[in-house]
Amino acid sequence: MKPTDTRDPEYYHKVVDCQYACPAHTPVPEYIRKIAAEKYTEAYMINWESNVFPGILGRTCDRPCEPACRRGRVEEEPVAICRLKRVAADQKGDVLSLMPHAPFPANGKKIALIGGGPASLTVARDLAPLGYEIHLFDEQIAGGGMMRSQIPAFRLPEEVLNEEVGYILKLGIHTQFMTYVESLKEVLDQNYDAVFVGTGAPRGRDLPKLPGRKEGDAFIHIGIEWLASVAFEHVDKIGKKVIVLGGGNTAMDCCRTSRRLGGEHVKVVVRSPFKDMKASPWEKEDAQHEDVAILDNHVPLSFEVENGKLTGMKFQRVKAHYDDKGKRKLIPTGEPDVFIEADEVLIAIGQENSFPWIERDIGLEFDEWEMPVVDKVTFQSTHPKVFFGGDAAFGPENVITAVAHGHQAAVSMHQFCQQKDLHQRPAPYTNLFSTKMGIHEWSYDSPVTIDQRYLVPQAQKSITLVDRRKEVELGFDPPTGYKEAQRCLNCDVQTDFTADRCIECDACMDICPTSCITFTGNEADEDRLREKLLVPAENKSQDILVSETLKTGRVMVKDEDVCLHCGLCAERCPTSAWDMQQFFYSVTKAENV
């Protein structure tokens, strides 16, 4: 194999597993080190540059970074990356002085943002400082989109949402709230240079053909619409017996909100097995902690209505069968149907996009599922002036994905307005520098110790279940945040190998705690080379580091997947062939164009 080109910015980026897994590619180890050093404001700003909403995401993120965390290869639980983000947000000092300040020199270009959710707000954050005149349209009373209407206050306090949305609106954004856009053509006729659509997936799925649906309509609600009604105080109570249909995070929000509005016997009923539910494991745990029963393997058969009043639902019991490819099929068990009493039912079985306000004769194509045809790199539609992002682009996802879409759409919109090729994406900003301070001293903590994940304290259930605005999670205090931050293995500090310094003493092999370093003869075939390693490198999704040919004709090969970045190889090396070098990666934003 050819020597690995570590100058490729994506090589070491991929090795920083947590950052690579984050859709917005937040420099996770960098901000965690700032937290450990009690530099909370700096940690917050590192987050704000990439994920835009540190306080919001520190409470609500789906945490794609955590399953990728290398700490999970040493012990059971990864670093609490998401909750450490909240530590930075809760403990920060003055951040406004560190942010761009309006007014900005105008560049003569005007942008319309339709929808005020995380994707649109990210576009505004990136383009306003470049001199664009930004007009934001949203039908709600304030910015935030689904973060305001669908995430309950006991998970995301309104003051946190208002603060972080406010940072963006202070950039001179022209807001038109309580305004429903009825025609995209009318918006385009107002001579905007580009239009961004970030309207989310606003329509909840229903069960219109299920027997009893029409007759029991007054007692049956669509989950996301019901959550919005609660958020805007149109609904303040619910029946004592509640069924929530669905197994995603929206269903968890519905059942937990029901408990706070008077639901005494709340049951989540889902078709799939418990382990296959789409809700995050911690969301299911929190619901069960609040006395919500979760019944899996139940397929709804009918809404039962007597004398115009809902009495409950009937379900069929099923079991899951998986074929050789892991595809699931639900098979009836043959047991009697199950009747569950209910005063009200919340349907939270998924969300759909809805674009009745976009004309079909303006050059904007839709696919067979009535989704706009959108370029997955540029986020441009078939109408050159119109860009999409967030749930509106490719269907329901999450806040951090919407932020990532917003950054990339902003790059494209800026290039479009500057008449540049949208597919010629500017390179990310990267940096690589040695962290060695002395012969055996690093500028970071390198020992790998066994340290279990720390629990986030919660307010007492007796308090939270009677006040829907009372935040359940209390967050880490600074001492606990410090201890949790110390669990980070600093995966962005890379093992950099210089072949012409190596004397092939194999000392690095001897001291490596995971046996991830091997000196061996090269192979043309990667699979054969992987098999020759001291411990065969089986995870092919992570690259192996291959050196230039050494004096004996061998090569040094390192399995990046199991390396713990402990630095022992660099400490032990007598010739400094190994060095620990910190890698910093920041994704391309419009300001880099």
Side-chain angles (χ1 to χ4, degrees), residues 145-457:
M146 57 75 64
M147 298 186 297
R148 185 174 298 278
S149 63
Q150 294 174 35
I151 301 180
F154 59 81
R155 288 180 56 210
L156 176 59
E158 190 175 4
E159 57 268 24
V160 175
L161 177 63
N162 290 340
E163 178 187 35
E164 296 198 326
V165 171
Y167 290 150
I168 298 171
L169 300 186
K170 284 184 174 71
L171 299 175
I173 311 303
H174 300 270
T175 58
Q176 298 186 48
F177 295 124
M178 302 294 288
T179 302
Y180 179 77
V181 174
E182 297 182 343
S183 166
L184 179 57
K185 185 177 184 300
E186 289 182 6
V187 174
L188 290 168
D189 287 344
Q190 295 177 41
N191 296 318
Y192 287 102
D193 294 280
V195 176
F196 179 80
V197 179
T199 51
R203 185 170 62 190
R205 289 180 180 166
D206 201 350
L207 294 169
K209 296 182 180 179
L210 206 65
R213 175 64 182 89
K214 184 177 180 181
E215 294 81 355
D217 182 66
F219 309 95
I220 303 168
H221 318 287
I222 303 300
I224 62 170
E225 296 175 4
W226 183 81
L227 286 172
S229 295
V230 173
F232 297 122
E233 300 183 339
H234 303 309
V235 169
D236 61 4
K237 61 183 178 180
I238 198 168
K240 292 184 178 180
K241 299 176 183 177
V242 181
I243 291 174
V244 178
L245 300 177
N249 286 340
T250 298
M252 299 302 104
D253 286 339
C254 285
C255 69
R256 297 181 68 194
T257 301
S258 297
R259 288 286 287 123
R260 287 157 173 78
L261 298 189
E264 296 178 2
H265 306 282
V266 180
K267 295 180 173 65
V268 171
V269 187
V270 61
R271 298 164 56 97
S272 68
F274 183 86
K275 67 181 180 65
D276 291 348
M277 290 173 62
K278 293 182 179 180
S280 304
W282 52 91
E283 298 288 356
K284 293 189 284 188
E285 289 173 8
D286 287 345
Q288 290 176 316
H289 174 69
E290 294 177 354
D291 307 315
V292 173
I294 299 179
L295 307 180
D296 62 354
N297 297 318
H298 281 65
V299 174
L301 294 176
S302 63
F303 298 97
E304 298 296 311
V305 181
E306 293 182 9
N307 302 319
K309 183 178 176 61
L310 181 76
T311 59
M313 288 190 68
K314 192 175 290 184
F315 297 88
Q316 180 186 46
R317 291 296 307 272
V318 296
K319 61 181 178 180
H321 173 75
Y322 302 88
D323 62 21
D324 294 339
K325 297 181 179 179
K327 190 174 181 180
R328 187 187 72 204
K329 183 178 181 180
L330 297 177
I331 302 173
T333 64
E335 299 172 81
D337 294 341
V338 176
F339 173 74
I340 300 175
E341 292 185 68
D343 302 313
E344 295 187 60
V345 173
L346 302 177
I347 302 176
I349 56 174
Q351 294 169 232
E352 298 175 332
N353 293 77
S354 180
F355 301 101
W357 53 277
I358 297 181
E359 293 84 356
R360 300 309 195 258
D361 60 352
I362 58 174
L364 202 158
E365 295 178 14
F366 284 78
D367 62 20
E368 58 187 303
W369 297 282
E370 281 298 294
M371 288 289 291
V373 176
V374 177
D375 188 296
K376 292 188 176 181
V377 174
T378 67
F379 294 88
Q380 186 181 41
S381 72
T382 53
H383 189 298
K385 279 191 176 183
V386 182
F387 298 77
F388 285 75
D391 293 355
F394 307 115
E397 284 284 351
N398 48 45
V399 176
I400 191 64
T401 299
V403 169
H405 290 181
H407 282 313
Q408 294 308 310
V411 170
S412 298
M413 294 167 77
H414 184 43
Q415 288 185 279
F416 176 77
C417 290
Q418 304 301 317
Q419 298 182 334
K420 295 181 180 179
D421 186 348
L422 272 60
H423 282 277
Q424 294 297 316
R425 315 297 285 181
Y429 171 80
T430 59
N431 196 10
L432 185 69
F433 55 94
S434 179
T435 59
K436 184 170 283 188
M437 300 173 68
I439 295 177
H440 298 299
E441 185 179 10
W442 311 114
S443 62
Y444 69 101
D445 291 332
S446 62
V448 176
T449 58
I450 299 300
D451 195 0
Q452 297 296 315
R453 179 171 169 140
Y454 293 83
L455 295 175
V456 178

Side-chain angles (χ1 to χ4, degrees), residues 569-587:
C569 55
E571 288 184 12
R572 182 67 181 83
C573 181
T575 64
S576 296
W578 288 103
D579 188 22
M580 303 304 291
Q581 298 197 357
Q582 185 175 333
F583 176 73
F584 183 80
Y585 181 101
S586 178
V587 293

Side-chain angles (χ1 to χ4, degrees), residues 432-570:
L432 185 69
F433 55 94
S434 179
T435 59
K436 184 170 283 188
M437 300 173 68
I439 295 177
H440 298 299
E441 185 179 10
W442 311 114
S443 62
Y444 69 101
D445 291 332
S446 62
V448 176
T449 58
I450 299 300
D451 195 0
Q452 297 296 315
R453 179 171 169 140
Y454 293 83
L455 295 175
V456 178
Q458 294 189 351
Q460 292 184 9
K461 186 166 63 174
S462 59
I463 298 174
T464 61
L465 289 183
V466 296
D467 181 0
R468 73 171 182 87
R469 296 184 182 277
K470 177 65 177 177
E471 188 171 15
V472 173
E473 288 195 2
L474 303 178
F476 289 133
D477 59 20
T480 310
Y482 169 80
K483 289 186 286 188
E484 184 64 35
Q486 290 294 88
R487 298 181 68 236
C488 177
L489 296 176
N490 299 286
C491 298
D492 61 337
V493 182
Q494 305 295 336
T495 51
D496 184 75
F497 184 76
T498 305
D500 59 12
R501 293 183 184 175
C502 180
I503 59 173
E504 302 183 66
C505 65
D506 292 355
C508 54
M509 285 181 61
D510 294 339
I511 202 168
C512 178
T514 61
S515 300
C516 68
I517 300 170
T518 305
F519 289 83
T520 184
N522 206 343
E523 295 286 349
D525 181 71
E526 180 179 334
D527 289 339
R528 290 190 62 185
L529 185 57
R530 283 178 176 271
E531 291 173 1
K532 290 176 66 175
L533 303 191
L534 194 61
V535 177
E538 297 181 348
N539 180 12
K540 296 181 181 179
S541 65
Q542 183 64 270
D543 296 331
I544 52 176
L545 177 65
V546 182
S547 76
E548 296 176 351
T549 303
L550 302 169
K551 292 181 178 63
T552 62
R554 299 187 301 173
V555 290
M556 185 288 303
V557 186
K558 184 167 79 75
D559 181 1
E560 296 282 22
D561 183 51
V562 296
C563 174
L564 296 177
H565 300 239
C566 63
L568 289 175
C569 55

